């Protein structure tokens, strides 16, 4: 007689697609993927994504979350990729990924994080690819002491692509780690 073993565990993936702040704020923390549609959620000022502890992928469409001043994405241990469309999060002052140990890809579209004055990736993440579009992170000149691009211990980094006009007012640009084979592109 042939026997087959069957596991009792079921793994479900749940990607939530939202087009309103009400839906985004009422989502259960168990989602594994998050998509914010284009032209949506522009009434939010603060956004805490860290409550989505199982999320692996975050996609923010173009012209979305334009008025968010504070974005928290810290300690999202399962997060693997973040993609932000064009002209999104334009009022947000910083992009910081601390404790996101599985994060391997960040892509930010043109004219996003326009008021951004800090771009920081944690030394614990295994980031491989960063792509930043044109005219991002132009900085807030009133906060000159915090204008910085910091990525430490980039042992897994393979590619950094930065569009023209991005980080133009930054006074600190720091990359460190075993940067063997790193492809650094600055588009003009």
């Amino acid at each position: 007689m042939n026997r087959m073993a069957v596991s009792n565990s079921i793994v479900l993936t749940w990607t939530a697609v939202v087009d309103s702040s009400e839906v985004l704020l009422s989502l259960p923390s168990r989602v594994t993927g998050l998509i914010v549609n284009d032209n949506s959620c522009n009434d939010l000022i603060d956004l805490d994504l860290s409550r989505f502890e199982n999320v692996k992928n975050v996609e923010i469409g173009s012209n979305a979350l334009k008025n968010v001043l504070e974005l928290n994405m810290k300690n999202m241990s399962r997060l693997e990729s973040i993609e932000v469309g064009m002209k999104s999060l334009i009022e947000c002052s910083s992009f910081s990924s601390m404790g996101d140990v599985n994060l391997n890809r960040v892509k930010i579209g043109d004219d996003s994080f326009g008021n951004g004055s800090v771009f920081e990736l944690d030394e614990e993440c295994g980031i491989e690819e960063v792509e930043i579009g044109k005219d991002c992170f132009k900085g807030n000149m009133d906060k000159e002491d915090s204008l910085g691009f910091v990525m430490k211990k980039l042992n897994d980094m393979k590619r950094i692509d930065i569009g023209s006009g991005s980080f133009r007012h930054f006074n600190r640009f720091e990359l460190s780690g075993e940067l063997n084979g790193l492809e650094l592109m600055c588009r003009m």
Side-chain angles (χ1 to χ4, degrees), residues 43-85:
D43 56 330
L44 290 176
I45 294 174
D46 293 316
L47 182 58
D48 185 0
L49 295 179
S50 67
R51 70 185 185 90
F52 299 114
E53 55 196 40
N54 294 316
V55 83
K56 289 184 175 185
N57 303 300
V58 173
E59 290 179 36
I60 298 170
S62 294
N63 297 301
L65 300 167
K66 291 169 89 169
N67 294 308
V68 169
L69 300 173
E70 296 295 325
L71 174 65
N72 182 4
M73 299 184 308
K74 295 179 175 143
N75 297 313
M76 297 175 71
S77 63
R78 294 193 172 125
L79 184 63
E80 295 174 1
S81 72
I82 300 167
E83 186 167 339
V84 177

Side-chain angles (χ1 to χ4, degrees), residues 2-97:
N2 292 333
R3 294 186 181 205
M4 182 170 72
V6 178
S7 170
N8 287 341
S9 67
I10 298 173
V11 177
L12 296 175
T13 59
W14 176 13
T15 298
V17 179
V18 299
D19 59 4
S20 74
S21 301
E22 294 78 26
V23 172
L24 178 58
L25 296 174
S26 65
L27 282 175
S29 63
R30 296 180 304 276
V31 298
T32 57
L34 177 62
I35 298 173
V36 177
N37 281 336
D38 293 349
N39 305 305
S40 63
C41 304
N42 288 319
D43 56 330
L44 290 176
I45 294 174
D46 293 316
L47 182 58
D48 185 0
L49 295 179
S50 67
R51 70 185 185 90
F52 299 114
E53 55 196 40
N54 294 316
V55 83
K56 289 184 175 185
N57 303 300
V58 173
E59 290 179 36
I60 298 170
S62 294
N63 297 301
L65 300 167
K66 291 169 89 169
N67 294 308
V68 169
L69 300 173
E70 296 295 325
L71 174 65
N72 182 4
M73 299 184 308
K74 295 179 175 143
N75 297 313
M76 297 175 71
S77 63
R78 294 193 172 125
L79 184 63
E80 295 174 1
S81 72
I82 300 167
E83 186 167 339
V84 177
M86 294 179 5
K87 297 182 181 178
S88 294
L89 292 160
I90 56 175
E91 294 298 326
C92 194
S93 63
S94 67
F95 179 94
S96 181
S97 175

Side-chain angles (χ1 to χ4, degrees), residues 97-158:
S97 175
M98 305 303 262
D100 302 341
V101 295
N102 287 312
L103 183 63
N104 60 38
R105 183 171 184 268
V106 174
K107 181 177 181 182
I108 298 174
D110 295 347
D111 298 303
S112 291
F113 286 93
N115 200 31
S117 55
V118 174
F119 183 90
E120 183 175 35
L121 292 176
D122 189 354
E123 57 195 50
E124 294 180 16
C125 73
I127 193 82
E128 294 180 5
E129 183 177 347
V130 173
E131 182 178 336
I132 298 170
K134 297 183 304 184
D135 295 317
C136 299
F137 294 94
K138 291 182 273 187
N140 181 344
M141 294 306 289
D142 296 333
K143 297 181 175 182
E144 267 190 62
D145 61 324
S146 65
L147 295 174
F149 178 96
V150 179
M151 294 194 295
K152 297 179 181 177
K153 295 188 180 175
L154 301 174
N155 299 337
D156 298 323
M157 180 64 77
K158 292 179 175 57

